[in-house]
């Protein structure tokens, strides 16, 4: 564990004390978040990515605070430590669908130069075939809800075939680029009335999976996806292949694949845990179904306007 004395020696702060030991410190210049980086390549990739995100979007982000010597990190025996401004006020994302959509469009065009084994495989015939086999050979669910799961598994196989058809019919090639994951839109913070983006993810994934998660969170709030998609379309045009690829990623049964993988890996899962996972599956399944319907209508409207 790094000592406060070491931080105080390295940064231009005074009166340091732990608010949450190892994570948050209070200083004479406000609260700061502490992050640990065991991999120097990941650290450098994150520094570059955050700097570029602010440059390309004009949105402030939690960049690495410079040390007294102008460095972006301090070395420890086990890795590197960085400090970041801590912002607690949430940005009212739900009141600004166009702005958030436009920001997401910029965000997903910012490639991350450090790729982990995130499991984010591109949509192609080979990976569709692997997931089809995984679903067909998966173990039966042990709970009384096995009939529901079997029903959803059959629908998941149908969804896989729809995606395969999308790719073949439109001759689509999924993007190999990966971006920094987004866990929640609550990463949008408020500083002096402006959007401040907090990066608390180190993993990378497909830009379309980032959008899929964000659209799901937006849909569950009950706000208009149309307005969010309009904003996204300003910076990440969806009227051609991109829109069809996004739709393919929404249709792809990632939630069922995740559910099946968990059941096969967690051999000592309790009935209550299994029920909770099943509830999560059904919730995400229903959400993606609604998003798909909205997305199809939105794409049709946009393409009709283009024709006109």
């Amino acid at each position: 564990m790094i000592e406060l004395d070491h931080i105080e020696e390295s940064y231009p702060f005074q009166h340091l004390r732990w608010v949450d030991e190892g994570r948050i410190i209070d200083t004479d210049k406000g609260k700061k978040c502490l992050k640990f980086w065991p991999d120097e390549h990941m650290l450098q990739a994150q520094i570059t990515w955050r700097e570029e995100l602010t440059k390309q979007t004009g949105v402030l982000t939690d960049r690495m605070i410079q040390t007294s010597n102008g460095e972006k990190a301090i070395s420890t025996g086990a890795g590197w430590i960085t400090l970041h401004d801590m912002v607690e006020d949430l940005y009212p994302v739900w009141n600004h669908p166009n702005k958030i959509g436009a920001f997401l469009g910029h965000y997903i065009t910012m490639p991350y130069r450090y790729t982990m084994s995130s499991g984010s495989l591109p949509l192609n015939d080979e990976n569709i075939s692997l997931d089809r086999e995984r679903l067909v050979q998966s173990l039966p669910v042990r709970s009384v809800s096995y009939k529901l799961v079997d029903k959803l598994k059959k629908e998941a196989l149908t969804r896989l075939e729809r995606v395969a058809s999308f790719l073949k019919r439109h001759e689509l090639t999924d993007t190999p680029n990966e971006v920094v994951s987004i866990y929640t839109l609550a990463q949008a913070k408020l500083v002096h009335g402006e959007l401040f983006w907090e990066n608390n993810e180190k993993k990378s994934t497909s830009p379309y999976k980032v959008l899929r998660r964000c659209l799901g969170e937006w849909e569950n709030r009950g706000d208009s996806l149309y307005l969010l998609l309009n904003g996204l379309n300003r910076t990440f045009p969806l009227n051609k292949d991109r829109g069809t690829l996004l739709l393919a990623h929404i249709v792809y049964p990632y939630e069922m694949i995740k559910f099946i993988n968990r059941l096969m890996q967690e051999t000592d899962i309790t009935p209550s845990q299994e029920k909770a996972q099943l509830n999560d599956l059904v919730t995400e399944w229903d959400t993606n179904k609604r998003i798909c319907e909205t997305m199809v209508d939105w794409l049709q409207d946009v393409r009709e306007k283009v024709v006109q």
Side-chain angles (χ1 to χ4, degrees):
M1 175 62 66
I2 188 168
E3 300 293 336
L4 284 179
D5 288 347
H6 189 187
I7 298 177
E8 192 165 15
E9 290 171 0
S10 303
Y11 287 90
F13 303 132
Q14 299 177 0
H15 313 302
L16 276 62
R17 68 176 183 85
W18 287 116
V19 175
D20 182 352
E21 189 166 0
R23 293 185 61 249
I24 301 172
I25 58 175
D26 195 16
T27 76
D28 61 318
K29 296 182 181 179
K31 293 179 182 177
K32 311 297 175 186
C33 294
L34 182 151
K35 296 188 178 181
F36 176 73
W37 308 87
D39 186 324
E40 186 176 11
H41 295 295
M42 178 192 289
L43 168 62
Q44 294 302 324
Q46 281 277 341
I47 291 173
T48 301
W49 185 85
R50 294 176 194 222
E51 296 284 346
E52 194 63 24
L53 181 65
T54 293
K55 184 187 302 182
Q56 295 296 327
T57 65
V59 172
L60 295 175
T61 187
D62 57 341
R63 292 181 287 179
M64 287 66 176
I65 297 173
Q66 289 191 0
T67 68
S68 300
N69 294 326
E71 302 293 333
K72 299 291 181 69
I74 57 176
S75 179
T76 71
W80 291 262
I81 296 292
T82 59
L83 290 188
H84 308 258
D85 289 320
M86 181 176 179
V87 180
E88 299 182 88
D89 292 336
L90 295 176
Y91 186 82
V93 293
W94 319 112
N95 298 335
H96 301 278
N98 269 283
K99 183 170 184 176
I100 295 303
F103 170 74
L104 291 174
H106 281 306
Y107 186 99
I108 61 172
T109 57
M110 295 286 303
Y112 184 37
R113 303 302 181 188
Y114 182 92
T115 302
M116 301 174 67
S117 55
S118 61
S120 176
L121 300 175
L123 296 186
N124 55 39
D125 289 341
E126 180 181 358
N127 292 322
I128 290 172
S129 178
L130 289 173
D131 280 336
R132 183 189 297 114
E133 184 177 355
R134 185 176 290 113
L135 286 173
V136 170
Q137 296 183 355
S138 61
L139 298 175
V141 179
R142 297 178 291 280
S143 73
V144 294
S145 303
Y146 69 91
K147 290 185 178 180
L148 171 60
V149 175
D150 282 348
K151 175 177 177 292
L152 295 182
K153 279 172 58 178
K154 291 177 182 177
E155 290 185 27
L157 288 168
T158 300
R159 286 168 61 178
L160 283 176
E161 298 310 316
R162 285 184 63 192
V163 173
S165 177
F166 280 161
L167 299 180
K168 183 177 181 180
R169 187 167 67 249
H170 297 279
E171 297 183 349
L172 296 177
T173 302
D174 196 12
T175 174
N177 294 331
E178 294 198 358
V179 300
V180 178
S181 299
I182 291 179
Y183 179 69
T184 172
L185 290 173
Q187 290 172 229
K189 306 292 185 176
L190 186 67
V191 175
H192 303 307
E194 298 296 331
L195 173 62
F196 176 98
W197 188 256
E198 180 182 81
N199 297 287
N200 50 21
E201 284 285 345
K202 298 179 181 178
K203 296 179 181 179
S204 60
T205 190
S206 158
Y208 293 101
K209 291 187 77 171
V210 167
L211 290 180
R212 188 181 194 268
R213 173 181 282 276
C214 292
L215 291 177
E217 186 174 356
W218 198 276
E219 170 65 27
N220 285 329
R221 283 282 307 211
D223 295 273
S224 173
L225 270 181
Y226 258 69
L227 296 179
L228 184 70
L229 289 168
N230 287 342
L232 174 63
N233 194 48
R234 285 165 42 203
T235 54
F236 190 76
L238 296 168
N239 58 323
K240 293 185 179 180
D241 289 354
R242 285 173 168 177
T244 306
L245 265 176
L246 176 56
L247 182 59
H249 276 273
I250 294 168
V251 172
Y252 205 91
Y254 291 114
E255 65 272 40
M256 175 57 79
I257 300 298
K258 179 174 64 177
F259 178 81
I260 294 298
N261 286 343
R262 281 182 176 177
L263 285 185
M264 296 180 72
Q265 293 168 6
E266 300 174 1
T267 55
D268 58 347
I269 186 173
T270 66
S272 61
Q273 290 173 327
E274 186 179 287
K275 183 177 180 180
Q277 291 183 9
L278 179 59
N279 288 339
D280 290 342
L281 167 64
V282 172
T283 297
E284 188 174 352
W285 186 281
D286 291 342
T287 297
N288 287 331
K289 184 177 180 180
R290 295 194 303 272
I291 295 173
C292 183
E293 293 169 351
T294 299
M295 187 75 194
V296 168
D297 291 342
W298 185 88
L299 285 172
Q300 184 175 345
D301 287 348
V302 169
R303 286 164 180 168
E304 285 177 355
K305 290 177 183 177
V306 170
V307 172
Q308 293 172 359

